[in-house]
Amino acid sequence: MKKILIILCLILLSGCDIKYDLKINKDLTYNENISISEEENYFIENIPEDWDKIKQEYSYSENKYLGKTNASLIKNNTDFMSLSENELIKRFVGKVKITEGNTIKVVIIFNDFFWEAIKGNAQFSNSVDDITLKLDIPFEVVNANNTTTEGNKLIWKFNKDTKSEIMRLEFKNPNIVENFFKRNIVIIIILGVLLVFVGSAFLKYKKNNEI
């Protein structure tokens, strides 16, 4: 694990840009799109075995343009509620805690690698440039400690001045509304029929009184 930290710190300290786009879909599946752009070849030439295994789980591509190496990892995932089992996040970002009620609360507690990369360590005197996480979410956000917004997207930026030890997000649980309609579908239909019947009767009564 120490080898991974050293190599990825070198990656981030060599003119490397990392952007992580996370999109949550209405059915609570989620898509990851990670882009990496670097001027040196630390990332390509020093991929540790553990990272290579994770890379195989994604649609991976790379190209070189104007002296830069650009790589991307894309993956569509089936269940946002199992985000805590995401190997990439567990190893290189931190521990994920998700609780579900009327809202869904997500907390990511950053791990040692994240802080080593952001703050630098004893071996590296420099620190990492900004790491950007952009979240596209279709649900109403109740609370979040994002840095800024871009339209409907929440953006977190991390750098050497980052003080918060966690990433926090809370949004309304779409399953609550969906389950309510499923549990009460018969009652809703009956109320709808009664409403139509009462409305029709009222209009008929009003028409007869006008004659």
Side-chain angles (χ1 to χ4, degrees), residues 8 13 34 51 56 63-65 101 148 161 178 180 188 190 202 211:
L8 288 180
L13 293 170
I34 303 156
W51 177 256
Q56 291 174 9
N63 64 78
K64 294 185 178 183
Y65 181 71
T148 184
D161 297 322
E178 182 180 344
F180 172 81
I188 292 171
I190 292 173
F202 174 77
I211 296 175

Side-chain angles (χ1 to χ4, degrees), residues 86-122:
N86 184 301
E87 288 296 328
L88 186 147
I89 293 177
K90 281 199 299 185
R91 296 191 185 199
F92 304 117
V93 181
K95 182 177 181 181
V96 180
K97 292 184 178 180
I98 297 181
T99 55
E100 183 177 10
N102 291 330
T103 61
I104 294 176
K105 297 179 180 179
V106 183
V107 174
I108 299 179
I109 303 171
F110 302 132
N111 59 19
D112 289 342
F113 163 73
F114 185 86
W115 288 116
E116 291 281 358
I118 291 295
K119 304 290 187 180
N121 60 21

Side-chain angles (χ1 to χ4, degrees), residues 122-138:
Q123 185 170 354
F124 304 104
S125 58
N126 295 323
S127 58
V128 178
D129 293 334
D130 291 348
I131 297 176
T132 303
L133 167 63
K134 185 181 293 185
L135 175 67
D136 188 351
I137 181 169

Side-chain angles (χ1 to χ4, degrees), residues 131-155:
I131 297 176
T132 303
L133 167 63
K134 185 181 293 185
L135 175 67
D136 188 351
I137 181 169
F139 312 116
E140 181 180 345
V141 175
V142 177
N143 190 15
N145 64 342
N146 55 301
T147 310
T148 184
T149 59
E150 182 182 290
N152 294 327
K153 298 177 181 178
L154 305 182
I155 299 174

Side-chain angles (χ1 to χ4, degrees), residues 67-86:
K68 282 194 173 184
T69 300
N70 302 295
S72 70
L73 298 95
I74 299 173
K75 185 179 180 183
N76 299 326
N77 301 272
T78 56
D79 184 14
F80 179 77
M81 302 305 290
S82 64
L83 186 68
S84 60
E85 301 305 313
N86 184 301

